[in-house]
C-alpha cells in the first residue's frame, strides 16, 4: 500500500510546493534584511513581531491585538483538526488492511 492523496497531481505538486516555499523565503528575507546586526543569517526577535505575520492583511482582519489573538487561536484549532484528520487517514491505511473491518470501524 502507498499513501497517494495527490489526486493525480504528481506533475504539479513539486512546482507548486517550490513556488510556495520561495514566496515564504522571500517574505522572510525582506523582513530580516531590515535588521541592524549586519548578519542576515541571525534572527532578531522583536516584541512586536508575531511569527507568521508577514504584514499581508488586505482585509484588515488583524487591526487590533484582540482580533490577532482570536485569529491565532482559530488557526491553532484548525491545525489540530487537520492533525486529527490525517491521523484517522493513516489509521485506515496502515492499521486496518481489510476493507470489511474498515467499514465496521470507520
Amino acid at each position: 500500500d502507498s499513501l497517494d492523496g495527490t489526486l493525480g497531481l504528481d506533475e504539479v505538486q513539486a512546482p507548486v510546493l517550490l513556488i510556495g516555499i520561495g514566496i515564504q523565503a522571500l517574505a522572510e528575507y525582506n523582513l530580516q534584511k531590515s535588521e541592524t546586526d549586519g548578519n542576515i543569517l541571525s534572527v532578531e526577535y522583536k516584541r512586536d513581531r508575531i511569527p507568521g505575520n508577514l504584514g499581508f492583511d488586505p482585509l484588515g482582519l488583524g487591526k487590533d491585538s484582540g482580533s490577532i489573538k482570536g485569529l491565532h487561536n482559530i488557526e491553532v484549532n484548525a491545525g489540530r483538526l487537520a492533525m486529527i484528520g490525517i491521523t484517522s487517514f493513516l489509521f485506515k491505511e496502515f492499521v486496518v488492511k481489510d476493507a470489511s473491518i474498515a467499514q465496521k470501524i470507520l
Side-chain angles (χ1 to χ4, degrees):
D1 288 331
S2 65
L3 294 175
D4 189 14
T6 60
L7 302 174
L9 299 175
D10 293 335
E11 300 83 20
V12 184
Q13 188 172 355
V16 169
L17 181 66
L18 289 175
I19 289 171
I21 291 173
I23 291 170
Q24 179 70 25
L26 183 63
E28 288 290 335
Y29 171 76
N30 285 333
L31 283 176
Q32 286 186 4
K33 76 177 181 180
S34 64
E35 293 178 354
T36 58
D37 65 351
N39 185 1
I40 193 68
L41 298 177
S42 71
V43 179
E44 291 180 15
Y45 292 102
K46 302 174 185 172
R47 289 195 177 273
D48 60 342
R49 181 164 183 244
I50 301 170
N53 184 5
L54 301 175
F56 180 74
D57 190 13
L59 298 177
L61 298 174
K63 295 261 185 207
D64 59 341
S65 62
S67 66
I68 291 176
K69 185 176 180 181
L71 290 173
H72 175 74
N73 288 337
I74 290 171
E75 186 172 353
V76 167
N77 288 334
R80 290 174 180 160
L81 255 167
M83 287 186 273
I84 291 170
I86 194 67
T87 301
S88 67
F89 177 76
L90 292 173
F91 175 77
K92 181 179 172 188
E93 284 286 324
F94 288 119
V95 176
V96 184
K97 298 289 184 184
D98 189 15
S100 62
I101 295 174
Q103 289 177 352
K104 291 178 184 174
I105 295 174
L106 304 173

